[in-house]
């Protein structure tokens, strides 16, 4: 399958039970929440490397993040997700970069995207959610890095303006 920029997309087929569970979650969220909102961050260490994760339930390497819960601010969700997905601690204040409309899974999701300087407090072992993670040089991203991740990095570098869709 080819992406918007013509590169081959590594689509890992999700097992049927994972597809069913994700579908049921989305049906639940369509009733429980009129709109969903999540956070993601481009997390850089002191050496300028970016932190990426591979989820067990979706293919490719992504920037860490996740959904907001009720009574949770965006920055609280960001701190929580970075801690959970990478044992990352934000140094200083994260910089809000842009808010995107994300129609990848539903037609009602928004992603609040930050740039953050981080340090890892402990190695992040794989588990049921995160199958792999690590810091990577920007000129040596892992095979399977998602198109959205490449687009966000180009936007951060100023090579293109922010797209309004994730």
């Amino acid at each position: 399958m080819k992406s918007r920029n013509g590169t081959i997309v590594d689509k890992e087929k999700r097992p049927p039970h994972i597809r069913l569970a994700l579908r049921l979650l989305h049906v639940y969220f369509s009733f429980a929440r009129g709109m969903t909102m999540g956070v993601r961050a481009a997390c850089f260490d002191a050496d300028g490397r970016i932190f990426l994760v591979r989820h067990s339930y979706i293919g490719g390497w992504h920037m860490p993040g996740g959904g907001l819960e009720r009574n949770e601010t965006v920055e609280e969700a960001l701190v929580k997700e970075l801690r959970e997905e990478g044992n990352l601690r934000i140094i200083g204040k994260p910089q809000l970069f842009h808010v995107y409309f994300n129609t990848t899974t539903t037609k009602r999701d928004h992603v609040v995207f930050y740039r953050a300087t981080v340090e890892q407090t402990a190695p992040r072992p794989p588990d049921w959610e995160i199958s792999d993670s690590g810091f990577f040089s920007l000129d040596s991203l892992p095979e399977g890095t998602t198109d959205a991740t490449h687009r966000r990095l180009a936007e951060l570098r100023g090579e293109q303006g922010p797209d309004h869709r994730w």
Side-chain angles (χ1 to χ4, degrees):
M1 171 183 228
K2 290 200 174 201
S3 68
R4 282 196 270 182
N5 66 6
T7 60
I8 302 297
V9 177
D10 177 21
K11 287 286 211 185
E12 294 178 347
K13 186 158 176 84
R14 296 178 192 161
H17 68 283
I18 297 293
R19 288 195 315 266
L20 176 62
L22 288 172
R23 184 71 192 136
L24 290 173
L25 275 174
H26 290 293
V27 168
Y28 165 75
F29 286 137
S30 70
F31 290 105
R33 302 176 181 166
M35 180 186 78
T36 57
M37 182 172 285
V39 293
R40 283 202 187 268
C43 298
F44 296 95
D45 69 3
D47 296 325
R49 299 175 304 163
I50 190 163
F51 186 81
L52 299 175
V53 299
R54 281 183 67 95
H55 294 95
S56 60
Y57 52 86
I58 189 169
W61 287 89
H62 304 261
M63 289 179 267
L68 272 73
E69 300 297 330
R70 289 187 193 277
N71 300 314
E72 184 176 53
T73 69
V74 174
E75 283 196 27
E76 288 169 344
L78 181 66
V79 168
K80 176 190 71 179
E81 292 296 337
L82 298 186
R83 182 184 65 248
E84 288 176 356
E85 292 195 357
N87 290 328
L88 302 176
R89 184 179 74 79
I90 299 172
I91 299 170
K93 183 146 177 70
Q95 301 166 341
L96 174 62
F97 185 76
H98 196 69
V99 179
Y100 299 87
F101 184 43
N102 182 9
T103 58
T104 305
T105 305
T106 70
K107 305 238 182 299
R108 55 191 178 73
D109 187 42
H110 289 77
V111 178
V112 181
F113 182 54
Y114 285 88
R115 184 196 188 289
T117 301
V118 299
E119 68 178 2
Q120 192 169 42
T121 60
R124 173 59 163 88
D127 64 16
W128 68 271
E129 180 187 9
I130 305 296
S131 60
D132 202 358
S133 64
F135 285 96
F136 300 92
S137 170
L138 290 173
D139 59 0
S140 185
L141 297 176
E143 186 176 328
T145 299
T146 65
D147 288 339
T149 300
H150 283 289
R151 288 192 306 273
R152 299 300 80 84
L153 291 173
E155 293 168 1
L156 285 167
R157 287 189 299 264
E159 296 170 1
Q160 62 190 51
D163 191 343
H164 297 293
R165 295 184 183 270
W166 187 257

